[in-house]
Amino acid sequence: MRICIAYDCLYPWTVGGAERWYRHLAERLAADGHEVTYITLRQWDAGAPPAIEGVRVVPVGPRMALYTGDAAGRRRIAPPVVYGLGCLVHLVRHGSDYDVVHLASFPYFSLLAAAAARPLGRYRVVVDWHEVWSGAYWREYLGRAGGAVGHGIQRLCARVRQRAFCFSRLHAARLRAEGLRGEVQVLEGEFVGSLERPDPAPARPQVVFAGRLIPEKRAPAVPPAVRVAREQIPDLTGIVFGDGPDRTAVRRAIADHGLVGLVDAPGFVAREEVDAAMASALCLVLPSSREGYGLVVVEASSLGVPAVVVAGPDNAAVELVQDGVNGVVAASASPGDLGAAIARVAEGGEAMRQATADWYAANARRLSLESSLEAVLGSYRADSARR
């Protein structure tokens, strides 16, 4: 089968859950003997193109800064527009070379381009909806006028004839409400690693955050939560892994709460260092207001480490935590609620770590990347048979 994967980012030149998903998807399809093309924006140095075995990588736009340089750290508008135009030109010229065009819903202009060029190429359109933003979040992100335009474009994309996948029940329900024509299938697995029950390491009195330091991750909430939890766990410390526009705010929170030397923010570090810290941590703390999936929660559970997440209308990561079993769902990201959740994990002790290991063993198969890849491949075969 001839498959085009379209996403404006490519792992490891940019790092994130979606980037890893499309890299794994491309490699798996190529390994299974399919003819795979990956169209993206150029992120590598000129003259040093990516070498992915069995995958033809085609840049359809120039190297561009994807995020604003201010404290908000939001996606810039120009790159999605440029990428959408690049996809349109490529698919008008080469769409007939593909049986399937598989792409992310965001940035939306590439999806609209794939829909516009489909009558010429006669390919099938497969769309991953990693997130479906609410009208309220659109307004918060772009303001009243810009949010209305963005929400309208999202709704238009939902109405494109497509085979749709989501990575959480939350966003699948929202996609149906946006007017999707047809069914949406939930893919629950993105984790790459052992499916065996872990043997949890003894817990150190340290909490870990790992992620990009952007406002919706709410990493600055970690230091004050540690301060509150230290009232019950006097030797508790913390470490905030990652970088981004909120790194200064994290460091300021550490200083303001008198935690210099007790909470560290080392920025991006080697994956091995994050894994080592996570394995011995009391818990993962992920106070995000918005998560399309929450892969880091599964990564923690695979080590027998409980996770603390925060309830919220845009946070799909709560679907990965069974409160009191493999972690705690805090009512809010306030210091009191987060600190109390950390204390609950400490009170759970070794029993909660063993319960987390049992939870992971029971759910590992459905949470694995392989299960999602098999579902996608199955959809390709089913669509091909119907045609």
Side-chain angles (χ1 to χ4, degrees):
M1 195 174 297
R2 304 168 303 167
I3 301 164
C4 175
I5 295 175
Y7 190 51
D8 63 343
C9 299
L10 177 61
Y11 184 84
W13 286 268
T14 54
V15 178
E19 288 88 338
R20 284 182 284 183
W21 164 251
Y22 291 113
R23 175 70 183 250
H24 287 307
L25 178 62
E27 290 175 328
R28 170 61 188 276
L29 291 169
D32 282 359
H34 298 287
E35 184 180 309
V36 182
T37 301
Y38 193 122
I39 60 175
T40 186
L41 290 178
R42 184 175 68 82
Q43 296 144 67
W44 50 90
D45 293 333
I52 304 176
E53 185 174 356
V55 178
R56 183 171 66 106
V57 178
V58 178
V60 295
R63 190 173 192 169
M64 304 179 73
L66 299 178
Y67 294 92
T68 60
D70 57 15
R74 292 171 175 166
R75 275 273 202 153
R76 296 174 62 236
I77 300 298
V81 174
V82 171
Y83 179 62
L85 290 172
C87 287
L88 179 62
V89 171
H90 179 86
L91 292 173
V92 165
R93 291 176 175 174
H94 305 288
S96 60
D97 295 339
Y98 307 123
D99 301 305
V100 174
V101 174
H102 189 148
L103 66 162
S105 59
F106 184 90
Y108 304 105
F109 299 108
S110 51
L111 172 51
L112 296 176
R118 176 167 45 189
L120 297 174
R122 300 181 60 82
Y123 45 74
R124 302 190 296 284
V125 174
V126 177
V127 185
D128 299 322
W129 290 81
H130 297 274
E131 293 184 74
V132 181
W133 289 2
S134 66
Y137 187 76
W138 273 111
R139 290 190 294 274
E140 177 186 336
Y141 196 80
L142 292 178
R144 182 179 296 275
V149 173
H151 196 189
I153 293 172
Q154 177 179 272
R155 284 179 170 171
L156 180 61
C157 288
R159 288 164 169 76
V160 167
R161 180 167 51 87
Q162 63 192 266
R163 173 176 281 274
F165 292 107
C166 286
F167 292 85
S168 69
R169 297 185 299 277
L170 166 67
H171 293 294
R174 283 187 177 175
L175 183 56
R176 295 186 188 101
E178 289 288 80
L180 176 75
R181 298 170 181 173
E183 296 183 2
V184 55
Q185 183 173 352
V186 177
L187 302 175
E188 296 184 278
E190 291 192 28
F191 179 65
V192 179
S194 173
L195 304 185
E196 299 299 318
R197 183 189 186 280
D199 182 15
R204 298 172 55 204
Q206 182 180 66
V207 301
V208 169
F209 169 96
R212 189 165 183 266
L213 304 186
I214 52 179
E216 50 264 47
K217 296 287 187 182
R218 298 196 291 208
V222 175
V226 170
R227 181 185 58 79
V228 170
R230 280 174 60 85
E231 296 173 7
Q232 298 183 52
I233 316 166
D235 53 350
L236 184 68
T237 63
I239 186 164
V240 177
F241 291 114
D243 206 348
D246 265 2
R247 190 174 181 192
T248 299
V250 170
R251 289 176 165 173
R252 185 183 306 118
I254 292 171
D256 289 349
H257 291 279
L259 295 171
V260 175
L262 296 173
V263 177
D264 192 17
F268 280 124
V269 300
R271 183 73 213 188
E272 293 76 15
E273 184 175 343
V274 176
D275 290 344
M278 185 85 75
S280 62
L282 172 67
C283 63
L284 166 76
V285 178
L286 185 68
S288 302
S289 62
R290 180 174 65 86
E291 288 284 347
Y293 181 67
L295 178 60
V296 70
V297 173
V298 183
E299 292 172 341
S301 294
S302 75
L303 299 168
V305 175
V308 171
V309 297
V310 176
D314 294 318
N315 189 10
V318 298
E319 296 180 15
L320 299 170
V321 174
Q322 186 177 346
D323 190 77
V325 177
N326 70 317
V328 174
V329 180
S332 77
S334 70
D337 286 340
L338 270 185
I342 294 169
R344 274 188 64 194
V345 174
E347 291 167 3
E350 179 62 20
M352 184 173 282
R353 293 177 87 77
Q354 295 300 327
T356 299
D358 290 339
W359 181 91
Y360 177 73
N363 293 279
R365 176 63 187 142
R366 73 177 178 87
L367 297 173
S368 70
L369 176 73
E370 186 63 24
S371 71
S372 293
L373 292 177
E374 288 175 0
V376 170
L377 291 170
S379 77
Y380 289 172
R381 290 191 286 266
D383 287 348
S384 181
R386 280 195 291 270
R387 285 168 69 91

